[in-house]
Amino acid sequence: MSKLATQDKFLDLSDYGRPFGKFLANQLKNTRFTPIHVTLLFGLTGLIAIYCILQNQYLLAGFFIVLKSGIDAADGELARIKNTPSYTGRYLDSIFDIILNFLLLMTICYVSKGNIWMTILAFICIQLQGTLYNYYYVILRNKSVGGDTTSKIFEYKSPRALPGENQKSVDVLFQIYTIVYGTFDKIIHTLDKEAYKVKTFPHWFMTALSIYGLGFQLLIIAIMLPMNLIEYIVPFFIVYTLFIFILIAIRKTIFKV
């Protein structure tokens, strides 16, 4: 099952790792590897990238950051190929992402001798950017005929475990997910409370929005590192957040409820 119906698919600038993700998933479809194993693998790849930064191996770090994006796409693809959708995998994926984002920025701060409070602000900015992208994307997915509805627009309680997964594991991961993402979700929902009432979003708008997808954010970091622009990564993402208000203003002005 695709995340979107054919008529709703758009050029997702943050999803450049999808071809590799599909390739890897197809190589693993007849093995004992599960989507959870792939999620653990992308977590390990992210940690390797962080280690490379600590060693001042910025080109290698950029490679592993991009590789992490490709592997990140593979767990969902493998779940679709094996027809094993999982809330456990979905929440674990998101929790790993936010942990790796924090560790990545803290490592950049340490190596570049940056300001920790500015770095924390950049982390908050990155999460808000990603939350805006996910908010509109999940709205589109839930309104797309035949699209993936594993993710919900509003999540107030732990979902019922799907076949093959443990309810307690789903409940625990949902609570962690709510703690680490809840505040960011509330902020974005407050900024655009009526977005879920819109019937659909045009392709060009979603493509513009995809600059806030995690894959594109990581690509920017992967490019800036070998260019010896490490000290500019934190201020860049703080300024980059200003486009949030532009995109929301476009949504409210052009795509009215």
Side-chain angles (χ1 to χ4, degrees):
M1 178 179 65
S2 177
K3 289 187 177 183
L4 292 169
T6 301
Q7 67 272 17
D8 293 318
K9 291 182 179 180
F10 60 94
L11 175 61
D12 189 341
L13 300 177
S14 72
D15 203 28
Y16 54 85
R18 185 66 50 185
F20 176 77
K22 288 182 177 180
F23 169 79
L24 181 58
N26 278 304
Q27 300 307 304
L28 299 175
K29 66 181 179 181
N30 296 319
T31 70
R32 294 184 179 181
F33 273 85
T34 69
I36 299 297
H37 291 142
V38 179
T39 300
L40 294 174
L41 180 60
F42 94 63
L44 176 61
T45 304
L47 291 176
I48 293 174
I50 289 170
Y51 175 77
C52 290
I53 295 174
L54 288 171
Q55 298 300 311
N56 297 316
Q57 298 291 327
Y58 297 150
L59 184 59
L60 200 56
F63 168 78
F64 279 106
I65 287 172
V66 172
L67 179 61
K68 181 262 183 191
S69 294
I71 298 174
D72 195 359
D75 54 5
E77 290 296 334
L78 187 59
R80 280 183 280 278
I81 289 173
K82 292 193 172 187
N83 195 25
T84 54
S86 165
Y87 286 112
T88 301
R90 186 205 144 202
Y91 293 135
L92 190 62
D93 185 298
S94 297
I95 292 167
F96 273 19
D97 277 336
I98 197 169
I99 291 173
L100 288 172
N101 284 353
F102 182 78
L103 292 177
L104 180 61
L105 284 178
M106 286 298 110
T107 302
I108 289 171
C109 175
Y110 173 77
V111 173
S112 65
K113 298 180 173 58
N115 182 287
I116 190 168
W117 295 111
M118 290 288 287
T119 304
I120 291 173
L121 176 59
F123 168 73
I124 292 171
C125 288
I126 283 177
Q127 294 309 130
L128 285 175
Q129 293 164 20
T131 300
L132 180 70
Y133 168 72
N134 288 330
Y135 180 45
Y136 288 143
Y137 189 26
V138 171
I139 289 173
L140 182 63
R141 282 164 58 180
N142 277 263
K143 291 180 180 291
S144 181
V145 178
D148 179 9
T149 58
T150 304
S151 299
K152 303 297 181 184
I153 301 171
F154 302 106
E155 298 185 271
Y156 300 112
K157 62 179 181 179
S158 179
R160 180 174 296 180
L162 295 169
E165 59 181 348
N166 181 274
Q167 185 64 55
K168 185 175 181 180
S169 297
V170 173
D171 292 341
V172 170
L173 288 171
F174 175 78
Q175 290 301 320
I176 297 173
Y177 174 86
T178 301
I179 291 170
V180 298
Y181 282 100
T183 300
F184 300 113
D185 287 341
K186 289 177 181 177
I187 291 173
I188 294 301
H189 291 164
T190 299
L191 290 174
D192 195 357
K193 295 179 180 178
E194 304 295 313
Y196 73 95
K197 296 180 181 179
V198 177
K199 291 183 179 180
T200 189
F201 301 114
H203 296 173
W204 66 264
F205 178 73
M206 292 303 301
T207 295
L209 189 67
S210 70
I211 64 170
Y212 279 160
L214 178 58
F216 198 76
Q217 292 171 327
L218 292 177
L219 181 61
I220 291 172
I221 295 175
I223 292 172
M224 293 182 74
L225 281 172
M227 292 178 67
N228 291 317
L229 298 174
I230 188 171
E231 68 270 24
Y232 296 104
I233 291 175
V234 164
F236 172 84
F237 280 102
I238 293 173
V239 175
Y240 200 46
T241 306
L242 296 176
F243 289 104
I244 283 179
F245 303 100
I246 296 174
L247 289 166
I248 291 176
I250 291 173
R251 202 294 298 165
K252 289 183 176 180
T253 303
I254 302 178
F255 319 123
K256 297 181 179 179
V257 177

